[in-house]
Amino acid sequence: MSPAGRGGDRAGGRAVTELWDEGLQSERTRLAWVRTAAMLAAGGLGMGGMALRAGASPLVAAPFALTALCGAALLARTGVRYQRVQDALHGGRPLDERAEAVLAWLGALAAVAASAVFVLSR
């Protein structure tokens, strides 16, 4: 299958005329982003609550709140992202996913940093 989705290319003995197939790849990808966002949000809240119950200062728990916030923002963006993916696939355009990747990395790095600070402060 060619990246441009031009007719005339051959895939499995048939001419390829579209960029994407009719499977559920976009839906599976959306569900993966939902799982990632939900785990960041729930993990951030849970770890922050655990840190506060263990007597850590609110400054130690703040990065956990950032983790939860990044997860919530990702979760809120999944519907918009799904529509952008569909539009890009049907229009044959590339997809820019930098905002979601930055949010996911920021949340993950905040969780790691907060965990390290929490463990080292005990």
Side-chain angles (χ1 to χ4, degrees):
M1 186 181 314
S2 73
R6 295 180 297 261
D9 291 342
R10 306 297 285 181
R14 58 182 169 80
V16 176
T17 57
E18 290 191 21
L19 178 64
W20 64 291
D21 67 16
E22 296 181 13
L24 298 174
Q25 293 83 3
S26 298
E27 289 78 5
R28 287 193 304 266
T29 302
R30 180 182 184 185
L31 290 174
W33 277 106
V34 167
R35 284 191 304 270
T36 300
M39 289 307 297
L40 280 173
L45 287 175
M47 293 184 314
M50 180 188 71
L52 290 174
R53 281 191 305 276
S57 76
L59 281 173
V60 173
F64 290 128
L66 177 63
T67 300
L69 192 60
C70 288
L74 274 175
L75 194 56
R77 291 177 55 91
T78 56
V80 172
R81 183 188 181 285
Y82 175 75
Q83 191 57 49
R84 282 196 341 250
V85 167
Q86 290 300 313
D87 293 343
L89 283 173
H90 289 286
R93 294 182 309 275
L95 181 64
D96 181 19
E97 299 180 5
R98 283 180 284 193
E100 286 84 5
V102 167
L103 279 172
W105 274 107
L106 180 62
L109 291 175
V112 168
S115 299
V117 168
F118 176 66
V119 168
L120 294 174
S121 70
R122 302 304 302 154

